[in-house]
């Protein structure tokens, strides 16, 4: 039987208390998995491992938690809020959509922009030159009148 364990991203900071969990073994496992002490503050948007018993934590979950810690805190805060509002299933679906569709499209767009930036710069210079010439002509007509 596999143990129930998950990563927790809180939207608010709070203090760790024994009465937050059903069993003292779960509380002690939480403290040891996350290198915390009783009475510690759980910081908003920081990832924490939560599991149902005092057995060893899954190593893949520990790796995912470390990966989440490398994400800037502003992004983790947004992720925690999206997860709190929409639920983990929709959040994971959005992440998959982003990885499979949006990231490749953005990459292609950036590649195209890199290839076309000289053309865009030339067009911008030409536009400014035309507007400058039009302003100069308007000023000449005004001066003559």
């Amino acid at each position: 039987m596999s143990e129930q364990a998950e990563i927790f991203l809180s939207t608010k900071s709070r203090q760790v208390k024994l009465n937050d969990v059903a069993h003292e073994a779960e509380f002690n496992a939480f403290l040891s998995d996350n290198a915390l002490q009783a009475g510690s503050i759980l910081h908003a948007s920081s990832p924490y491992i939560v599991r149902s018993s005092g057995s060893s934590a899954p190593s893949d979950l520990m790796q995912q938690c470390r990966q989440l810690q490398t994400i800037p805190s502003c992004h983790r805060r947004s992720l925690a809020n999206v997860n709190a509002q929409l639920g983990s299933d929709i959040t994971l679906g959005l992440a998959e959509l982003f990885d499979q569709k949006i990231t490749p499209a953005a990459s292609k767009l950036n590649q195209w922009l890199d290839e076309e930036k000289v053309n865009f710069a030339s067009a911008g210079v030409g536009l400014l030159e035309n507007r400058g010439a039009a302003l100069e002509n308007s000023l000449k007509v005004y001066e003559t009148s």
Side-chain angles (χ1 to χ4, degrees), residues 29-37 40:
F30 180 79
L31 294 178
S32 67
D33 289 346
N34 299 296
L36 298 171
Q37 297 176 359
S40 294

Side-chain angles (χ1 to χ4, degrees), residues 17-114:
K17 297 177 189 169
L18 179 59
N19 60 357
D20 290 338
V21 294
H23 304 288
E24 189 173 350
E26 291 177 17
F27 181 70
N28 292 332
F30 180 79
L31 294 178
S32 67
D33 289 346
N34 299 296
L36 298 171
Q37 297 176 359
S40 294
I41 301 292
L42 299 180
H43 299 283
S45 73
S46 292
Y48 299 99
I49 295 176
V50 178
R51 55 192 167 105
S52 58
S53 70
S55 62
S56 62
S59 60
D60 60 331
L61 202 59
M62 297 292 263
Q63 178 64 26
Q64 289 175 0
C65 194
R66 282 193 284 284
Q67 287 176 340
L68 276 172
Q69 289 170 342
T70 63
I71 298 173
S73 64
C74 61
H75 297 307
R76 287 194 317 252
R77 191 174 310 115
S78 296
L79 181 61
N81 288 329
V82 166
N83 192 39
Q85 294 292 321
L86 302 177
S88 60
D89 290 341
I90 293 177
T91 303
L92 289 173
L94 287 172
E96 188 174 332
L97 172 72
F98 186 83
D99 283 346
Q100 291 180 359
K101 301 293 182 184
I102 297 173
T103 300
S107 177
K108 286 180 184 177
L109 178 63
N110 285 336
Q111 183 181 10
W112 179 77
L113 286 173
D114 283 344

